[in-house]
Amino acid sequence: MCGIDSWWRLNVSIFVLKTPWFIVCLTFCMAIPTASHAQAIKPAPPTPIDMKKVELGGTPWNSQWDQIIEKALPPEMLSSQAPRGVRRFCPRFYDMSTADKRIFWAYFFQALAGAEAGLNPNTSVRHGEPEGAMVMRSEGLLQLSYADQKRYGCDFNWQMDRALKANDPAKTILQPKNNLECGVKILVNQTIVQHKPLLIRSGYWSTLQPDGPSYRVFAKQMTNPPAACGLPTKSAIDKSATTKSVQDDANRRQTPK
């Protein structure tokens, strides 16, 4: 038996060594899933407020935050189950590739963060009186609260954060990854689990409650979605709410070729 085993190992070794294509093919095939996944994660276009912050020398949206959002999206948000309200901002959503749908949602949350917190991840706003030992605040890019930890399973830790200053970036609720992933969970709960519209008066964010002043702020940030969305040129940029560079871009889009 030992002789047969040695013969088999020797012949397999010779076969592999004499056929380099085997190794090349194996390496290439193993690399394909990684490459495909990397290509699926792309940055979203800038919102008007992001462009303005760049012009003024402020801290803009971080493209790594797009990756956080895109990776957090469940399959349902990239399928026909996605809320119909997306068509208001992205008419071709249901006909787009999965990669383009991810980019749209990354842009959507960038616009939401622009309307909620001016893209500042350390924003912390106090509301009314403390509820027990916990001070009620809206915090981070998406203006969330510690109560969302129990409601939606968000990665916030009040006991760890309570000794830190309100706008300390070390707070778990202010860390962009935790805040954005929680925001995705909240929107998924509203639109996929509860089957409610994307824009609704009883929604979590006032900026997504239609017809209100907060919603208008959000809508102004949704004027530069990914090109794949096919948003009509006439409504692509709200000139009255953006900077000169954005207005110039709007003029270029509307100039007949």
Side-chain angles (χ1 to χ4, degrees), residues 61-62 65 68 113 116-117 119-126 135-146 148-149 154-158 160-183:
W61 178 261
N62 190 327
W65 299 343
I68 292 171
E116 288 286 334
L119 303 183
N120 182 356
N122 300 325
T123 300
S124 180
V125 181
R126 181 169 177 169
V135 177
M136 299 304 296
R137 291 180 178 272
S138 295
E139 310 196 54
L141 285 167
L142 300 179
Q143 292 294 277
L144 309 181
S145 71
Y146 284 98
D148 297 326
Q149 189 276 327
C154 300
D155 195 12
F156 304 154
N157 190 325
W158 165 247
M160 182 185 298
D161 295 347
R162 61 188 305 176
L164 301 176
K165 292 182 179 180
N167 61 349
D168 190 328
K171 291 172 61 176
T172 57
I173 197 171
L174 295 183
Q175 294 171 24
K177 184 177 186 296
N178 295 343
N179 206 272
L180 293 171
E181 288 180 344
C182 183

Side-chain angles (χ1 to χ4, degrees), residues 56-201:
L56 298 177
T59 302
W61 178 261
N62 190 327
S63 62
Q64 293 182 351
W65 299 343
D66 291 329
Q67 297 181 30
I68 292 171
I69 296 164
E70 293 184 39
K71 290 179 181 179
L73 294 167
E76 292 83 359
M77 294 294 280
L78 309 172
S79 70
S80 59
Q81 296 182 55
R84 298 298 167 184
V86 296
R87 285 179 171 170
R88 177 176 298 196
F89 311 108
C90 189
R92 297 177 184 169
F93 180 86
Y94 297 103
D95 299 320
M96 298 194 311
S97 67
T98 298
D100 285 330
K101 289 176 181 177
R102 290 184 186 279
I103 296 171
F104 166 76
W105 283 119
Y107 181 85
F108 177 92
F109 278 100
Q110 180 190 156
L112 185 58
E116 288 286 334
L119 303 183
N120 182 356
N122 300 325
T123 300
S124 180
V125 181
R126 181 169 177 169
H127 299 286
E129 296 299 322
E131 184 177 298
M134 187 182 300
V135 177
M136 299 304 296
R137 291 180 178 272
S138 295
E139 310 196 54
L141 285 167
L142 300 179
Q143 292 294 277
L144 309 181
S145 71
Y146 284 98
D148 297 326
Q149 189 276 327
K150 291 184 178 180
R151 294 170 183 164
Y152 307 102
C154 300
D155 195 12
F156 304 154
N157 190 325
W158 165 247
Q159 294 303 322
M160 182 185 298
D161 295 347
R162 61 188 305 176
L164 301 176
K165 292 182 179 180
N167 61 349
D168 190 328
K171 291 172 61 176
T172 57
I173 197 171
L174 295 183
Q175 294 171 24
K177 184 177 186 296
N178 295 343
N179 206 272
L180 293 171
E181 288 180 344
C182 183
V184 172
K185 290 180 179 180
I186 292 172
L187 192 65
V188 169
N189 179 270
Q190 173 185 313
T191 61
I192 303 299
V193 178
Q194 299 187 47
H195 305 290
K196 292 182 178 180
L198 181 66
L199 305 176
I200 185 172
R201 292 183 178 180

Side-chain angles (χ1 to χ4, degrees), residues 89 111 115 207 214-224 238:
F89 311 108
T207 44
S214 296
Y215 168 74
R216 289 194 288 271
V217 175
F218 167 76
K220 290 176 181 178
Q221 300 308 313
M222 288 298 293
T223 54
N224 188 40
D238 185 340

